[in-house]
Amino acid sequence: MTVKKFKAQSLRTVVSPSDANVTTYYAWVNFNDLPNDISLDVNPRKPKMTTAVAKQLIQAVQSPDTDFDINNRGIVITAKSVKYNTSSRMLEVDLDENTLKYGILDGGHTYRAVIDYRDKVAADTEKFVKLEIVVGNDLDVAALADARNTSVQVSDIALFELDNKFGFVKDAIQNQSFANEIAYKDNDTKRIEVAELLKLMYAFNIQRFPDDSSVPISAYSGKAAVFKDYRSSYGRENNIYKSLAVQLPKLVDLFETIQVEMPQKYTDFKNQNGAKSKFGRVRGVDGAGDYATLFTQKKMNYSISLGFIMPIFGAFRSLLKVNSEGQVSWDYDPIDIWNKVGVRLVQNTFETDTNPQQAGKSKVLWQSNYRIVDGSRKDLLLKELTNKLTQAKEK
């Protein structure tokens, strides 16, 4: 257990009105009392203190002005628990040992500026920084990091574009109808962010998620985590994303097929059970409208939450295999398997959870859908093997 104890000038506690299990503690801490060893691992990127913004932060830290806590957004920390002694004003923050879940989630540049330059502040000047400490038993750290780091994450993607590190993605989709609609840069007016393609590939990263023991939930809940994985894989000898990029046309086809055909699959499973469909009344589904898929602009009658789509889409990674050179290929065409088990997948998804946010983050759902697809794959392999044995005996 890693507990940080330090003085806080004041503390305010707020329980989330939307989730009583999440509590946020707002603390104002003197520069000199801020611990210098809080982990930054949970942050989707490392602070780069040579940028113009970072230099402005450093100047603000060293400035004689004492309104830093008013003008600065502060530091966001995720923690396991928080205790505060009102008489001694001592704050205890339990960061556990899991640095990928607990630590500084946002405000890393502010933290580094304060820690590295607070000794430049005049001895008779007191300056404070605001801490926002978020505590929750089932806190979705990936989604929170994604929300808090949106602007920074886009800039990081833009830097990757400057280095032409999306080259193999562009090559893979160059003949697709949406190839010229992908936005790789900041403030690009094109309608599809490159992050949408990265999410599709992340959901099929069979190096990181080779079976049902772990699942790519961040494909639904966290663009920052997805880009972080793409970035960390980029320099590796067997970069899985280079091979997955080749499959992007098929991944897009599968994703949009699920989108378009899910309402009919839902109706089919309801009819099998003697019930009326009423798909348009499902939470997370907008119906009876004029909608289009993101990539190829296929017409749809319903707009469906990604929380229902991604746990089905990600299940088809069980059909991929990778060779010794890191190249991936399909055991069977995923569209064919969707046609075989689509109704079961849709039924399993909606019977597991009708709340799209909970469904998208449900490890149990991702695992059970994976097993449905994998079961179909094994059945086909067994059938092929049986046929070969039968043919061999007849000879």
Side-chain angles (χ1 to χ4, degrees), residues 254-263 292-295 300 302 304 306 309 338:
L254 173 63
F255 181 82
E256 295 193 342
T257 297
I258 294 171
Q259 266 189 309
V260 173
E261 296 184 2
M262 181 181 286
T293 59
L294 177 63
F295 297 100
M300 301 187 298
Y302 298 90
I304 307 167
L306 289 177
I309 296 172
W338 162 253

Tab-separated table of all heavy atoms in Angstrom, residues 254-263 292-295 300 302 304 306 309 338:
chain	number	residue	atom	x	y	z
A	254	LEU	N	-16.966	-5.315	-41.296
A	254	LEU	CA	-17.575	-6.070	-40.198
A	254	LEU	C	-18.295	-5.136	-39.230
A	254	LEU	O	-19.444	-5.386	-38.848
A	254	LEU	CB	-16.503	-6.860	-39.458
A	254	LEU	CG	-16.954	-7.579	-38.176
A	254	LEU	CD1	-18.007	-8.635	-38.493
A	254	LEU	CD2	-15.760	-8.208	-37.458
A	255	PHE	N	-17.634	-4.055	-38.842
A	255	PHE	CA	-18.201	-3.111	-37.895
A	255	PHE	C	-19.525	-2.545	-38.405
A	255	PHE	O	-20.527	-2.507	-37.690
A	255	PHE	CB	-17.203	-1.976	-37.635
A	255	PHE	CG	-17.676	-0.949	-36.651
A	255	PHE	CD1	-17.557	-1.161	-35.288
A	255	PHE	CD2	-18.256	0.235	-37.095
A	255	PHE	CE1	-18.002	-0.214	-34.376
A	255	PHE	CE2	-18.704	1.185	-36.194
A	255	PHE	CZ	-18.573	0.962	-34.828
A	256	GLU	N	-19.522	-2.128	-39.662
A	256	GLU	CA	-20.728	-1.524	-40.210
A	256	GLU	C	-21.818	-2.553	-40.507
A	256	GLU	O	-23.010	-2.239	-40.430
A	256	GLU	CB	-20.385	-0.720	-41.462
A	256	GLU	CG	-19.495	0.474	-41.142
A	256	GLU	CD	-19.385	1.474	-42.280
A	256	GLU	OE1	-19.709	1.109	-43.443
A	256	GLU	OE2	-18.988	2.620	-42.008
A	257	THR	N	-21.423	-3.780	-40.810
A	257	THR	CA	-22.418	-4.845	-40.999
A	257	THR	C	-23.154	-5.100	-39.695
A	257	THR	O	-24.381	-5.262	-39.675
A	257	THR	CB	-21.737	-6.135	-41.486
A	257	THR	OG1	-21.136	-5.913	-42.770
A	257	THR	CG2	-22.750	-7.271	-41.606
A	258	ILE	N	-22.417	-5.133	-38.590
A	258	ILE	CA	-23.039	-5.312	-37.275
A	258	ILE	C	-23.985	-4.151	-36.977
A	258	ILE	O	-25.116	-4.353	-36.513
A	258	ILE	CB	-21.959	-5.425	-36.181
A	258	ILE	CG1	-21.130	-6.704	-36.381
A	258	ILE	CG2	-22.587	-5.420	-34.790
A	258	ILE	CD1	-19.909	-6.798	-35.492
A	259	GLN	N	-23.521	-2.925	-37.251
A	259	GLN	CA	-24.350	-1.737	-37.048
A	259	GLN	C	-25.680	-1.830	-37.799
A	259	GLN	O	-26.752	-1.615	-37.230
A	259	GLN	CB	-23.607	-0.497	-37.543
A	259	GLN	CG	-22.824	0.269	-36.511
A	259	GLN	CD	-22.315	1.577	-37.078
A	259	GLN	OE1	-21.693	1.599	-38.145
A	259	GLN	NE2	-22.562	2.660	-36.383
A	260	VAL	N	-25.584	-2.129	-39.078
A	260	VAL	CA	-26.758	-2.117	-39.948
A	260	VAL	C	-27.694	-3.279	-39.652
A	260	VAL	O	-28.928	-3.123	-39.669
A	260	VAL	CB	-26.318	-2.140	-41.431
A	260	VAL	CG1	-27.522	-2.310	-42.350
A	260	VAL	CG2	-25.560	-0.861	-41.784
A	261	GLU	N	-27.153	-4.452	-39.358
A	261	GLU	CA	-27.978	-5.655	-39.234
A	261	GLU	C	-28.406	-5.978	-37.803
A	261	GLU	O	-29.238	-6.866	-37.604
A	261	GLU	CB	-27.215	-6.854	-39.829
A	261	GLU	CG	-26.963	-6.701	-41.327
A	261	GLU	CD	-26.297	-7.932	-41.935
A	261	GLU	OE1	-26.079	-8.908	-41.203
A	261	GLU	OE2	-26.016	-7.900	-43.144
A	262	MET	N	-27.860	-5.271	-36.818
A	262	MET	CA	-28.226	-5.555	-35.434
A	262	MET	C	-29.737	-5.463	-35.172
A	262	MET	O	-30.297	-6.340	-34.482
A	262	MET	CB	-27.472	-4.648	-34.462
A	262	MET	CG	-27.806	-4.931	-32.994
A	262	MET	SD	-26.945	-3.852	-31.824
A	262	MET	CE	-25.293	-4.529	-31.893
A	263	PRO	N	-30.452	-4.462	-35.707
A	263	PRO	CA	-31.897	-4.402	-35.446
A	263	PRO	C	-32.642	-5.658	-35.896
A	263	PRO	O	-33.525	-6.145	-35.176
A	263	PRO	CB	-32.343	-3.177	-36.250
A	263	PRO	CG	-31.126	-2.315	-36.325
A	263	PRO	CD	-29.979	-3.285	-36.457
A	292	ALA	N	-26.662	7.237	-40.960
A	292	ALA	CA	-25.667	6.657	-41.868
A	292	ALA	C	-24.467	6.179	-41.066
A	292	ALA	O	-24.121	6.757	-40.027
A	292	ALA	CB	-25.216	7.682	-42.910
A	293	THR	N	-23.831	5.110	-41.539
A	293	THR	CA	-22.635	4.601	-40.871
A	293	THR	C	-21.500	5.620	-41.015
A	293	THR	O	-21.472	6.424	-41.950
A	293	THR	CB	-22.193	3.265	-41.478
A	293	THR	OG1	-21.913	3.437	-42.878
A	293	THR	CG2	-23.270	2.211	-41.306
A	294	LEU	N	-20.565	5.571	-40.081
A	294	LEU	CA	-19.503	6.576	-40.029
A	294	LEU	C	-18.586	6.535	-41.238
A	294	LEU	O	-18.277	7.572	-41.839
A	294	LEU	CB	-18.672	6.384	-38.756
A	294	LEU	CG	-17.470	7.318	-38.585
A	294	LEU	CD1	-17.916	8.767	-38.485
A	294	LEU	CD2	-16.650	6.915	-37.368
A	295	PHE	N	-18.168	5.352	-41.619
A	295	PHE	CA	-17.135	5.241	-42.648
A	295	PHE	C	-17.695	5.303	-44.065
A	295	PHE	O	-17.360	6.200	-44.839
A	295	PHE	CB	-16.328	3.959	-42.443
A	295	PHE	CG	-15.568	3.933	-41.144
A	295	PHE	CD1	-16.056	3.238	-40.044
A	295	PHE	CD2	-14.366	4.616	-41.011
A	295	PHE	CE1	-15.368	3.217	-38.844
A	295	PHE	CE2	-13.657	4.604	-39.824
A	295	PHE	CZ	-14.171	3.909	-38.732
A	300	MET	N	-28.936	3.705	-42.366
A	300	MET	CA	-29.408	2.923	-41.227
A	300	MET	C	-30.721	3.511	-40.733
A	300	MET	O	-30.940	4.713	-40.833
A	300	MET	CB	-28.388	2.958	-40.081
A	300	MET	CG	-27.014	2.428	-40.405
A	300	MET	SD	-25.977	2.335	-38.900
A	300	MET	CE	-25.909	4.067	-38.402
A	302	TYR	N	-31.563	3.001	-37.533
A	302	TYR	CA	-31.356	3.212	-36.108
A	302	TYR	C	-29.927	3.696	-35.859
A	302	TYR	O	-28.991	3.309	-36.551
A	302	TYR	CB	-31.572	1.918	-35.318
A	302	TYR	CG	-32.962	1.354	-35.409
A	302	TYR	CD1	-33.297	0.451	-36.416
A	302	TYR	CD2	-33.941	1.709	-34.484
A	302	TYR	CE1	-34.582	-0.083	-36.503
A	302	TYR	CE2	-35.217	1.183	-34.560
A	302	TYR	CZ	-35.536	0.287	-35.574
A	302	TYR	OH	-36.797	-0.241	-35.652
A	304	ILE	N	-27.210	3.311	-32.987
A	304	ILE	CA	-27.024	2.382	-31.865
A	304	ILE	C	-25.768	2.746	-31.082
A	304	ILE	O	-24.710	2.989	-31.653
A	304	ILE	CB	-26.909	0.935	-32.385
A	304	ILE	CG1	-28.108	0.598	-33.280
A	304	ILE	CG2	-26.817	-0.056	-31.226
A	304	ILE	CD1	-27.928	-0.687	-34.074
A	306	LEU	N	-22.373	2.615	-29.134
A	306	LEU	CA	-21.192	1.761	-29.274
A	306	LEU	C	-21.070	0.774	-28.124
A	306	LEU	O	-20.388	-0.240	-28.236
A	306	LEU	CB	-19.929	2.616	-29.358
A	306	LEU	CG	-19.721	3.419	-30.645
A	306	LEU	CD1	-18.457	4.261	-30.534
A	306	LEU	CD2	-19.649	2.504	-31.854
A	309	ILE	N	-22.374	-2.270	-29.589
A	309	ILE	CA	-21.692	-2.756	-30.791
A	309	ILE	C	-20.300	-3.310	-30.498
A	309	ILE	O	-19.938	-4.392	-30.973
A	309	ILE	CB	-21.599	-1.623	-31.843
A	309	ILE	CG1	-22.997	-1.206	-32.297
A	309	ILE	CG2	-20.777	-2.071	-33.054
A	309	ILE	CD1	-23.015	0.025	-33.185
A	338	TRP	N	-20.571	-13.989	-38.566
A	338	TRP	CA	-21.635	-13.105	-38.089
A	338	TRP	C	-22.994	-13.615	-38.561
A	338	TRP	O	-23.971	-13.607	-37.797
A	338	TRP	CB	-21.395	-11.683	-38.578
A	338	TRP	CG	-22.582	-10.759	-38.529
A	338	TRP	CD1	-23.312	-10.301	-39.589
A	338	TRP	CD2	-23.195	-10.184	-37.366
A	338	TRP	NE1	-24.332	-9.477	-39.166
A	338	TRP	CE2	-24.284	-9.385	-37.806
A	338	TRP	CE3	-22.937	-10.264	-35.995
A	338	TRP	CZ2	-25.090	-8.674	-36.924
A	338	TRP	CZ3	-23.757	-9.554	-35.118
A	338	TRP	CH2	-24.813	-8.778	-35.579
